Amino acid sequence: MPRPQSPRPGQSLAAAALLLPLLACAAPEPPAAAHPRAEEPGPLVIAHRGASGYVPEHTLAAYALAVLQGADYVEPDLVMTRDGQLVARHDNQLDLTTDVAARPEFADRRRTRNVDGVELTGWFSEDFSLAEIKTLRAIERIPAIRPGNARLDKSLEVPTLQEIIDLVKSLEKSQGRRIGLYLETKHPTHFQHLGLAMEEPLLEILRRNGYHGRHASVYIQSFEVENLKTLRRLSPLRLVQLFGSGQPYDQTVIGSALTYEQMATPAGLQAIAAYADGVGPDKGYVIPRDANGNLGSPTDFVPNAHAAGLKVHPYTFRAENNFLPLELRSSANPAEHGDLEAEIHAFLDAGVDGLFSDNPDIALRLRAQP
């Protein structure tokens, strides 16, 4: 049976806006039983920070829109509050995506912190209680590229992980399908050193909501290594090793020489398979760009990962010219949409098992094509 066409972003956003008040007023559900085993669609379409190409990232509206567009998984990045609560922000530096800098009552919280070896000045989640963070409002992280999103500035809250789970479970009922959580632990070593270790609080929330076992609709991902190894010791949930540049921060802290480049070798991927189920590489590990900024040829990363028994879910696929290979841009305007479908098609041809996109509707439309 052909897949129904994805709703247009405007229609979906309107539906999401109407749905959110009802979900907010819904009574909490009792803990759910573990999800039965089900075959996942493929390749997976993971809504990167929600449908963040259309709505400010890491908001309930972004996640709801992604689900209404048909995304298989929504991806919350998780940081810790001062009182040990998990909330969804891409970074613990709150002024990047909230209105905290404009809030005079929090002016004295501005400070300089070392986060993963980098000196940053701003407002940080670990200096705020959950109650204080709930008074903040989300703003668009890249307003010059996404001015439409910026029109929603200060209209949406910072959600907790529990609120996201409640949303997903409500939408599973209304959509009549399984919707997954693809969770990222942000700066786990940093939070551990502050006495705010993330692993056990995260697993406790998931257990409380019925997510346990290898067939639960959950992935947990991290750019660090020891964080994932700790999670593997504590839980059978599926884990994904993310790849960036340089060295995982936790490896720097413990004095290891391990780099992402070494981890991307056949031997490195085999080592990852001992504690993880998949890998989330930056797109350049799969298809690098040439000196002119155009797509090059696929590397052997995907076949080597598959040989190690690992799924491959690269990031991030975005529609704006600013993020696309040069030959797929529609104009010199960085905010205009280019040919994202062509980029996604190249990566599907390279054999990836899923992908992260700010525009899940475009990825789903391409997946539905025969």
Side-chain angles (χ1 to χ4, degrees):
M1 180 181 296
R3 185 184 183 88
Q5 186 173 4
S6 299
R8 292 193 300 272
Q11 294 175 325
S12 297
L13 181 54
L18 291 170
L19 181 64
L20 286 172
L22 299 175
L23 294 171
C25 297
E29 295 183 19
H35 289 287
R37 182 174 184 176
E39 289 299 319
E40 290 189 316
L44 287 182
V45 174
I46 305 148
H48 184 245
R49 312 176 194 173
S52 54
Y54 308 113
V55 184
E57 65 187 41
H58 294 313
T59 59
L60 292 183
Y63 300 130
L65 177 55
V67 171
L68 293 175
Q69 289 181 339
D72 304 308
Y73 280 75
V74 295
E75 189 230 13
D77 296 332
L78 300 173
V79 300
M80 298 292 283
T81 67
R82 183 178 64 199
D83 46 350
Q85 303 298 309
L86 288 157
V87 297
R89 290 291 88 189
H90 178 249
D91 288 287
N92 61 328
Q93 189 176 343
L94 296 174
D95 47 303
L96 300 177
T97 57
T98 77
D99 64 349
V100 66
R103 303 289 290 274
E105 66 270 34
F106 298 129
D108 62 350
R109 305 284 179 93
R110 187 173 187 268
R111 61 187 299 180
T112 298
R113 272 195 179 276
N114 185 297
V115 180
D116 295 358
V118 178
E119 291 291 322
L120 300 172
T121 299
W123 288 259
F124 298 91
S125 66
E126 58 264 32
D127 296 325
F128 289 75
S129 68
L130 176 60
E132 290 170 331
I133 285 179
K134 293 301 285 184
T135 70
L136 303 178
R137 293 297 178 266
I139 62 172
E140 171 56 39
R141 184 175 53 86
I142 46 174
I145 302 297
R146 293 175 175 165
N149 288 14
R151 290 199 290 268
L152 295 172
D153 280 0
K154 303 183 182 180
S155 65
L156 301 165
E157 292 186 2
V158 175
T160 65
L161 174 56
Q162 185 60 59
E163 288 171 334
I164 297 165
I165 291 172
D166 292 342
L167 173 71
V168 164
K169 286 185 176 295
S170 295
L171 289 172
E172 280 188 322
K173 287 187 173 182
S174 66
Q175 296 281 293
R177 66 184 180 92
R178 176 167 151 152
I179 301 160
L181 297 167
Y182 210 118
L183 309 169
E184 182 181 345
T185 55
K186 302 294 292 193
H187 314 297
T189 294
H190 173 76
F191 284 116
Q192 183 181 50
H193 289 169
L194 295 173
L196 294 168
M198 310 178 77
E199 293 85 1
E200 291 190 1
L202 171 57
L203 294 176
E204 174 54 31
I205 290 177
L206 292 174
R207 281 192 294 265
R208 192 164 66 237
N209 286 277
Y211 296 99
H212 45 76
R214 291 192 57 75
H215 302 303
S217 51
V218 174
Y219 286 92
I220 304 175
Q221 57 181 332
S222 178
F223 280 99
E224 297 190 9
V225 175
E226 299 306 315
N227 171 237
L228 291 174
K229 290 182 176 179
T230 297
L231 288 166
R232 173 55 72 231
R233 290 192 294 270
L234 297 172
S235 171
L237 292 171
R238 291 172 293 176
L239 306 178
V240 172
Q241 176 68 63
L242 295 172
F243 283 70
S245 59
Q247 185 177 38
Y249 179 65
D250 64 307
Q251 298 302 294
T252 301
V253 170
I254 66 176
S256 166
L258 183 66
T259 65
Y260 289 117
E261 184 178 1
Q262 292 169 339
M263 294 164 69
T265 64
L269 291 165
Q270 290 287 346
I272 289 170
Y275 64 85
D277 305 279
V279 286
D282 174 271
K283 292 184 296 187
Y285 283 92
V286 177
I287 306 179
R289 296 185 188 182
D290 64 23
N292 296 318
N294 297 316
L295 275 182
S297 300
T299 69
D300 58 1
F301 184 93
V302 171
N304 288 341
H306 286 165
L310 296 165
K311 299 291 187 183
V312 182
H313 300 156
Y315 66 90
T316 305
F317 293 84
R318 297 175 164 118
E320 293 90 355
N321 288 324
N322 187 68
F323 305 109
L324 287 168
L326 189 63
E327 78 271 30
L328 300 182
R329 297 177 186 178
S330 59
S331 72
N333 182 347
E336 221 173 71
H337 282 203
D339 193 354
L340 175 59
E341 286 197 7
E343 184 186 35
I344 291 174
H345 192 73
F347 280 79
L348 296 182
D349 285 348
V352 302
D353 304 290
L355 55 88
F356 292 85
S357 181
D358 292 7
N359 309 85
D361 58 325
I362 296 175
L364 287 158
R365 187 166 61 244
L366 183 59
R367 186 175 75 180
Q369 294 175 359

